[in-house]
Amino acid sequence: MATVVEHRETKQKLLETALDLIWENNYDCVGIVQICTQSGVTKGAFYHYFKSKSDLAAAGLEARWLNVRNSFDRVFSPQNTSLERVDYYCDLIISMQAEKHAQTGRVLGCPFISTGQSTSEDKIKSISVEITERMTKYFTSLVVDAQREGIVDKDLDAADIARYMYVFVQGVLTIGRVKNDLEFIKTDLKPGLLKILGVSE
């Protein structure tokens, strides 16, 4: 009989493999058999943990979010100035993209947005939107502190600026994926975010 640790490891393999395959390709073209084969898990084991591919993908998105949230917490810590947060965030995003590029030879963009836009499944789209909203809150805290620091006009709506910043990030990552161009992300990400804040490099 499988131990608790073995159950946990099997489930984790399914989560990681599924989201990696979906991120590298798209949700609709990745099948359960492919996920099981790639993760070394039987189809029976798959259905022991998940009722459907959409349940697995939804859980995978949440697991990926939990995995990166600690990094975002460090980057957006109040102990860092607003501009330090921009620096650290850009470094983090570029390093994550560079790591996947080294593994796959491709720029993959954001796993949450890429997954959400590659399917008509409402459950997946809903989680992608929810994670987008969580991420935007980090930017809102950055803008509020930038206003307190005198970098951004206090009369401007911090939530609006934060939303523009996050939309810009997703635009850069999406174009970087389409062009398969890591240098595009490295060149455009930080200057664009600073311009939205009204700061010159």
Side-chain angles (χ1 to χ4, degrees):
M1 180 177 290
T3 65
V4 172
V5 172
E6 288 171 334
H7 276 297
R8 186 165 57 242
E9 289 177 349
T10 298
K11 187 175 182 180
Q12 188 64 29
K13 283 181 184 177
L14 285 168
L15 290 169
E16 291 177 356
T17 301
L19 199 56
D20 281 344
L21 285 171
I22 292 167
W23 188 10
E24 293 168 19
N25 301 280
N26 68 65
Y27 176 87
D28 289 336
C29 81
V30 173
I32 291 174
V33 172
Q34 183 182 8
I35 293 169
C36 291
T37 301
Q38 191 85 6
S39 59
V41 174
T42 66
K43 201 170 179 181
F46 173 94
Y47 284 110
H48 174 76
Y49 297 106
F50 303 101
K51 293 180 180 179
S52 65
K53 185 178 75 170
S54 63
D55 283 344
L56 170 59
L61 286 170
E62 287 290 358
R64 183 64 55 91
W65 168 254
L66 291 175
N67 189 45
V68 301
R69 187 178 63 183
N70 288 338
S71 296
F72 289 140
D73 286 343
R74 289 193 298 271
V75 164
F76 289 90
S77 168
Q79 296 179 351
N80 302 325
T81 68
S82 58
L83 295 185
E84 284 175 339
R85 283 176 240 179
V86 173
D87 280 341
Y88 299 155
Y89 174 77
C90 291
D91 289 344
L92 174 65
I93 295 300
I94 290 168
S95 69
M96 291 169 66
Q97 293 297 315
E99 180 181 358
K100 294 304 289 185
H101 186 268
Q103 293 171 355
T104 66
R106 294 164 51 202
V107 174
L108 298 181
C110 173
F112 308 113
I113 298 301
S114 295
T115 301
Q117 70 184 20
S118 70
T119 180
S120 59
E121 289 271 4
D122 289 339
K123 179 188 298 185
I124 308 303
K125 288 184 175 296
S126 177
I127 292 175
S128 296
V129 170
E130 171 60 28
I131 292 174
T132 295
E133 292 172 353
R134 295 173 198 169
M135 192 61 234
T136 303
K137 289 179 181 178
Y138 284 96
F139 282 101
T140 301
S141 68
L142 183 158
V143 176
V144 168
D145 285 342
Q147 291 175 319
R148 180 179 52 78
E149 295 164 7
I151 294 171
V152 174
D153 188 337
K154 292 183 178 181
D155 292 331
L156 297 176
D157 188 301
D160 280 348
I161 298 172
R163 189 165 57 253
Y164 299 149
M165 292 176 76
Y166 192 62
V167 168
F168 171 76
V169 169
Q170 291 304 330
V172 170
L173 292 178
T174 299
I175 293 172
R177 175 171 178 143
V178 171
K179 296 175 67 176
N180 195 29
D181 187 350
L182 187 60
E183 288 304 314
F184 173 79
I185 296 174
K186 291 178 178 179
T187 301
D188 282 41
L189 189 60
K190 181 180 175 182
L193 288 175
L194 291 177
K195 284 181 181 179
I196 293 171
L197 288 172
V199 178
S200 58
E201 283 192 279

mmCIF file with all atom_site columns, all heavy atoms in Angstrom, residues 110-125:
data_model
loop_
_atom_site.group_PDB
_atom_site.id
_atom_site.type_symbol
_atom_site.label_atom_id
_atom_site.label_alt_id
_atom_site.label_comp_id
_atom_site.label_asym_id
_atom_site.label_entity_id
_atom_site.label_seq_id
_atom_site.pdbx_PDB_ins_code
_atom_site.Cartn_x
_atom_site.Cartn_y
_atom_site.Cartn_z
_atom_site.occupancy
_atom_site.B_iso_or_equiv
_atom_site.pdbx_formal_charge
_atom_site.auth_seq_id
_atom_site.auth_comp_id
_atom_site.auth_asym_id
_atom_site.auth_atom_id
_atom_site.pdbx_PDB_model_num
ATOM 1   N N   . CYS A 1 110 ? 3.676   34.099 -19.210 1.00 0.00 ? 110 CYS A N   1
ATOM 2   C CA  . CYS A 1 110 ? 3.099   33.851 -17.894 1.00 0.00 ? 110 CYS A CA  1
ATOM 3   C C   . CYS A 1 110 ? 2.314   32.540 -17.882 1.00 0.00 ? 110 CYS A C   1
ATOM 4   O O   . CYS A 1 110 ? 1.424   32.350 -18.722 1.00 0.00 ? 110 CYS A O   1
ATOM 5   C CB  . CYS A 1 110 ? 2.170   35.008 -17.511 1.00 0.00 ? 110 CYS A CB  1
ATOM 6   S SG  . CYS A 1 110 ? 1.248   34.740 -15.990 1.00 0.00 ? 110 CYS A SG  1
ATOM 7   N N   . PRO A 1 111 ? 2.590   31.638 -16.940 1.00 0.00 ? 111 PRO A N   1
ATOM 8   C CA  . PRO A 1 111 ? 1.861   30.361 -16.923 1.00 0.00 ? 111 PRO A CA  1
ATOM 9   C C   . PRO A 1 111 ? 0.372   30.526 -16.651 1.00 0.00 ? 111 PRO A C   1
ATOM 10  O O   . PRO A 1 111 ? -0.446  29.762 -17.166 1.00 0.00 ? 111 PRO A O   1
ATOM 11  C CB  . PRO A 1 111 ? 2.540   29.584 -15.791 1.00 0.00 ? 111 PRO A CB  1
ATOM 12  C CG  . PRO A 1 111 ? 3.151   30.623 -14.909 1.00 0.00 ? 111 PRO A CG  1
ATOM 13  C CD  . PRO A 1 111 ? 3.565   31.722 -15.837 1.00 0.00 ? 111 PRO A CD  1
ATOM 14  N N   . PHE A 1 112 ? 0.024   31.544 -15.868 1.00 0.00 ? 112 PHE A N   1
ATOM 15  C CA  . PHE A 1 112 ? -1.384  31.732 -15.496 1.00 0.00 ? 112 PHE A CA  1
ATOM 16  C C   . PHE A 1 112 ? -2.201  32.284 -16.671 1.00 0.00 ? 112 PHE A C   1
ATOM 17  O O   . PHE A 1 112 ? -3.283  31.794 -16.976 1.00 0.00 ? 112 PHE A O   1
ATOM 18  C CB  . PHE A 1 112 ? -1.479  32.664 -14.288 1.00 0.00 ? 112 PHE A CB  1
ATOM 19  C CG  . PHE A 1 112 ? -0.605  32.229 -13.144 1.00 0.00 ? 112 PHE A CG  1
ATOM 20  C CD1 . PHE A 1 112 ? 0.486   32.983 -12.747 1.00 0.00 ? 112 PHE A CD1 1
ATOM 21  C CD2 . PHE A 1 112 ? -0.867  31.038 -12.475 1.00 0.00 ? 112 PHE A CD2 1
ATOM 22  C CE1 . PHE A 1 112 ? 1.302   32.571 -11.703 1.00 0.00 ? 112 PHE A CE1 1
ATOM 23  C CE2 . PHE A 1 112 ? -0.067  30.612 -11.426 1.00 0.00 ? 112 PHE A CE2 1
ATOM 24  C CZ  . PHE A 1 112 ? 1.036   31.388 -11.034 1.00 0.00 ? 112 PHE A CZ  1
ATOM 25  N N   . ILE A 1 113 ? -1.660  33.297 -17.325 1.00 0.00 ? 113 ILE A N   1
ATOM 26  C CA  . ILE A 1 113 ? -2.365  33.886 -18.464 1.00 0.00 ? 113 ILE A CA  1
ATOM 27  C C   . ILE A 1 113 ? -2.333  32.936 -19.656 1.00 0.00 ? 113 ILE A C   1
ATOM 28  O O   . ILE A 1 113 ? -3.342  32.758 -20.355 1.00 0.00 ? 113 ILE A O   1
ATOM 29  C CB  . ILE A 1 113 ? -1.755  35.246 -18.839 1.00 0.00 ? 113 ILE A CB  1
ATOM 30  C CG1 . ILE A 1 113 ? -1.894  36.232 -17.679 1.00 0.00 ? 113 ILE A CG1 1
ATOM 31  C CG2 . ILE A 1 113 ? -2.419  35.802 -20.100 1.00 0.00 ? 113 ILE A CG2 1
ATOM 32  C CD1 . ILE A 1 113 ? -3.324  36.494 -17.247 1.00 0.00 ? 113 ILE A CD1 1
ATOM 33  N N   . SER A 1 114 ? -1.184  32.311 -19.905 1.00 0.00 ? 114 SER A N   1
ATOM 34  C CA  . SER A 1 114 ? -1.079  31.380 -21.036 1.00 0.00 ? 114 SER A CA  1
ATOM 35  C C   . SER A 1 114 ? -2.084  30.243 -20.911 1.00 0.00 ? 114 SER A C   1
ATOM 36  O O   . SER A 1 114 ? -2.723  29.843 -21.890 1.00 0.00 ? 114 SER A O   1
ATOM 37  C CB  . SER A 1 114 ? 0.336   30.803 -21.112 1.00 0.00 ? 114 SER A CB  1
ATOM 38  O OG  . SER A 1 114 ? 1.279   31.809 -21.402 1.00 0.00 ? 114 SER A OG  1
ATOM 39  N N   . THR A 1 115 ? -2.244  29.725 -19.696 1.00 0.00 ? 115 THR A N   1
ATOM 40  C CA  . THR A 1 115 ? -3.194  28.638 -19.476 1.00 0.00 ? 115 THR A CA  1
ATOM 41  C C   . THR A 1 115 ? -4.625  29.125 -19.639 1.00 0.00 ? 115 THR A C   1
ATOM 42  O O   . THR A 1 115 ? -5.450  28.487 -20.296 1.00 0.00 ? 115 THR A O   1
ATOM 43  C CB  . THR A 1 115 ? -2.999  28.031 -18.072 1.00 0.00 ? 115 THR A CB  1
ATOM 44  O OG1 . THR A 1 115 ? -1.659  27.550 -17.950 1.00 0.00 ? 115 THR A OG1 1
ATOM 45  C CG2 . THR A 1 115 ? -3.974  26.884 -17.834 1.00 0.00 ? 115 THR A CG2 1
ATOM 46  N N   . GLY A 1 116 ? -4.927  30.282 -19.061 1.00 0.00 ? 116 GLY A N   1
ATOM 47  C CA  . GLY A 1 116 ? -6.287  30.808 -19.121 1.00 0.00 ? 116 GLY A CA  1
ATOM 48  C C   . GLY A 1 116 ? -6.747  31.150 -20.521 1.00 0.00 ? 116 GLY A C   1
ATOM 49  O O   . GLY A 1 116 ? -7.929  30.972 -20.857 1.00 0.00 ? 116 GLY A O   1
ATOM 50  N N   . GLN A 1 117 ? -5.822  31.610 -21.356 1.00 0.00 ? 117 GLN A N   1
ATOM 51  C CA  . GLN A 1 117 ? -6.237  32.032 -22.694 1.00 0.00 ? 117 GLN A CA  1
ATOM 52  C C   . GLN A 1 117 ? -6.227  30.883 -23.706 1.00 0.00 ? 117 GLN A C   1
ATOM 53  O O   . GLN A 1 117 ? -6.672  31.055 -24.841 1.00 0.00 ? 117 GLN A O   1
ATOM 54  C CB  . GLN A 1 117 ? -5.339  33.167 -23.193 1.00 0.00 ? 117 GLN A CB  1
ATOM 55  C CG  . GLN A 1 117 ? -3.917  32.753 -23.529 1.00 0.00 ? 117 GLN A CG  1
ATOM 56  C CD  . GLN A 1 117 ? -3.048  33.922 -23.915 1.00 0.00 ? 117 GLN A CD  1
ATOM 57  O OE1 . GLN A 1 117 ? -3.354  35.071 -23.610 1.00 0.00 ? 117 GLN A OE1 1
ATOM 58  N NE2 . GLN A 1 117 ? -1.950  33.654 -24.601 1.00 0.00 ? 117 GLN A NE2 1
ATOM 59  N N   . SER A 1 118 ? -5.775  29.706 -23.263 1.00 0.00 ? 118 SER A N   1
ATOM 60  C CA  . SER A 1 118 ? -5.671  28.592 -24.210 1.00 0.00 ? 118 SER A CA  1
ATOM 61  C C   . SER A 1 118 ? -6.839  27.618 -24.114 1.00 0.00 ? 118 SER A C   1
ATOM 62  O O   . SER A 1 118 ? -6.778  26.526 -24.673 1.00 0.00 ? 118 SER A O   1
ATOM 63  C CB  . SER A 1 118 ? -4.358  27.833 -23.974 1.00 0.00 ? 118 SER A CB  1
ATOM 64  O OG  . SER A 1 118 ? -4.391  27.123 -22.740 1.00 0.00 ? 118 SER A OG  1
ATOM 65  N N   . THR A 1 119 ? -7.902  28.022 -23.405 1.00 0.00 ? 119 THR A N   1
ATOM 66  C CA  . THR A 1 119 ? -9.037  27.120 -23.246 1.00 0.00 ? 119 THR A CA  1
ATOM 67  C C   . THR A 1 119 ? -10.337 27.902 -23.106 1.00 0.00 ? 119 THR A C   1
ATOM 68  O O   . THR A 1 119 ? -10.332 29.085 -22.771 1.00 0.00 ? 119 THR A O   1
ATOM 69  C CB  . THR A 1 119 ? -8.852  26.230 -21.994 1.00 0.00 ? 119 THR A CB  1
ATOM 70  O OG1 . THR A 1 119 ? -9.977  25.369 -21.860 1.00 0.00 ? 119 THR A OG1 1
ATOM 71  C CG2 . THR A 1 119 ? -8.754  27.089 -20.735 1.00 0.00 ? 119 THR A CG2 1
ATOM 72  N N   . SER A 1 120 ? -11.436 27.208 -23.348 1.00 0.00 ? 120 SER A N   1
ATOM 73  C CA  . SER A 1 120 ? -12.756 27.803 -23.127 1.00 0.00 ? 120 SER A CA  1
ATOM 74  C C   . SER A 1 120 ? -13.356 27.350 -21.794 1.00 0.00 ? 120 SER A C   1
ATOM 75  O O   . SER A 1 120 ? -14.483 27.710 -21.463 1.00 0.00 ? 120 SER A O   1
ATOM 76  C CB  . SER A 1 120 ? -13.707 27.403 -24.268 1.00 0.00 ? 120 SER A CB  1
ATOM 77  O OG  . SER A 1 120 ? -13.819 25.982 -24.343 1.00 0.00 ? 120 SER A OG  1
ATOM 78  N N   . GLU A 1 121 ? -12.586 26.584 -21.022 1.00 0.00 ? 121 GLU A N   1
ATOM 79  C CA  . GLU A 1 121 ? -13.057 26.093 -19.723 1.00 0.00 ? 121 GLU A CA  1
ATOM 80  C C   . GLU A 1 121 ? -13.214 27.258 -18.744 1.00 0.00 ? 121 GLU A C   1
ATOM 81  O O   . GLU A 1 121 ? -12.234 27.912 -18.372 1.00 0.00 ? 121 GLU A O   1
ATOM 82  C CB  . GLU A 1 121 ? -12.064 25.080 -19.150 1.00 0.00 ? 121 GLU A CB  1
ATOM 83  C CG  . GLU A 1 121 ? -12.038 23.745 -19.863 1.00 0.00 ? 121 GLU A CG  1
ATOM 84  C CD  . GLU A 1 121 ? -13.047 22.769 -19.281 1.00 0.00 ? 121 GLU A CD  1
ATOM 85  O OE1 . GLU A 1 121 ? -13.818 23.162 -18.381 1.00 0.00 ? 121 GLU A OE1 1
ATOM 86  O OE2 . GLU A 1 121 ? -13.053 21.621 -19.749 1.00 0.00 ? 121 GLU A OE2 1
ATOM 87  N N   . ASP A 1 122 ? -14.447 27.496 -18.297 1.00 0.00 ? 122 ASP A N   1
ATOM 88  C CA  . ASP A 1 122 ? -14.708 28.617 -17.391 1.00 0.00 ? 122 ASP A CA  1
ATOM 89  C C   . ASP A 1 122 ? -13.945 28.486 -16.077 1.00 0.00 ? 122 ASP A C   1
ATOM 90  O O   . ASP A 1 122 ? -13.498 29.490 -15.513 1.00 0.00 ? 122 ASP A O   1
ATOM 91  C CB  . ASP A 1 122 ? -16.211 28.725 -17.094 1.00 0.00 ? 122 ASP A CB  1
ATOM 92  C CG  . ASP A 1 122 ? -17.006 29.219 -18.294 1.00 0.00 ? 122 ASP A CG  1
ATOM 93  O OD1 . ASP A 1 122 ? -16.397 29.849 -19.186 1.00 0.00 ? 122 ASP A OD1 1
ATOM 94  O OD2 . ASP A 1 122 ? -18.232 28.980 -18.339 1.00 0.00 ? 122 ASP A OD2 1
ATOM 95  N N   . LYS A 1 123 ? -13.806 27.265 -15.585 1.00 0.00 ? 123 LYS A N   1
ATOM 96  C CA  . LYS A 1 123 ? -13.109 27.049 -14.313 1.00 0.00 ? 123 LYS A CA  1
ATOM 97  C C   . LYS A 1 123 ? -11.664 27.528 -14.395 1.00 0.00 ? 123 LYS A C   1
ATOM 98  O O   . LYS A 1 123 ? -11.163 28.197 -13.480 1.00 0.00 ? 123 LYS A O   1
ATOM 99  C CB  . LYS A 1 123 ? -13.139 25.562 -13.947 1.00 0.00 ? 123 LYS A CB  1
ATOM 100 C CG  . LYS A 1 123 ? -12.426 25.224 -12.650 1.00 0.00 ? 123 LYS A CG  1
ATOM 101 C CD  . LYS A 1 123 ? -12.316 23.718 -12.449 1.00 0.00 ? 123 LYS A CD  1
ATOM 102 C CE  . LYS A 1 123 ? -13.667 23.066 -12.358 1.00 0.00 ? 123 LYS A CE  1
ATOM 103 N NZ  . LYS A 1 123 ? -13.557 21.615 -12.045 1.00 0.00 ? 123 LYS A NZ  1
ATOM 104 N N   . ILE A 1 124 ? -11.002 27.212 -15.507 1.00 0.00 ? 124 ILE A N   1
ATOM 105 C CA  . ILE A 1 124 ? -9.604  27.593 -15.686 1.00 0.00 ? 124 ILE A CA  1
ATOM 106 C C   . ILE A 1 124 ? -9.484  29.103 -15.871 1.00 0.00 ? 124 ILE A C   1
ATOM 107 O O   . ILE A 1 124 ? -8.613  29.756 -15.291 1.00 0.00 ? 124 ILE A O   1
ATOM 108 C CB  . ILE A 1 124 ? -8.983  26.862 -16.887 1.00 0.00 ? 124 ILE A CB  1
ATOM 109 C CG1 . ILE A 1 124 ? -9.202  25.354 -16.777 1.00 0.00 ? 124 ILE A CG1 1
ATOM 110 C CG2 . ILE A 1 124 ? -7.499  27.179 -16.998 1.00 0.00 ? 124 ILE A CG2 1
ATOM 111 C CD1 . ILE A 1 124 ? -8.670  24.727 -15.521 1.00 0.00 ? 124 ILE A CD1 1
ATOM 112 N N   . LYS A 1 125 ? -10.360 29.658 -16.693 1.00 0.00 ? 125 LYS A N   1
ATOM 113 C CA  . LYS A 1 125 ? -10.335 31.104 -16.921 1.00 0.00 ? 125 LYS A CA  1
ATOM 114 C C   . LYS A 1 125 ? -10.569 31.869 -15.612 1.00 0.00 ? 125 LYS A C   1
ATOM 115 O O   . LYS A 1 125 ? -9.926  32.891 -15.342 1.00 0.00 ? 125 LYS A O   1
ATOM 116 C CB  . LYS A 1 125 ? -11.391 31.496 -17.956 1.00 0.00 ? 125 LYS A CB  1
ATOM 117 C CG  . LYS A 1 125 ? -11.044 31.076 -19.377 1.00 0.00 ? 125 LYS A CG  1
ATOM 118 C CD  . LYS A 1 125 ? -12.086 31.571 -20.357 1.00 0.00 ? 125 LYS A CD  1
ATOM 119 C CE  . LYS A 1 125 ? -11.676 31.259 -21.784 1.00 0.00 ? 125 LYS A CE  1
ATOM 120 N NZ  . LYS A 1 125 ? -10.441 31.960 -22.194 1.00 0.00 ? 125 LYS A NZ  1
#
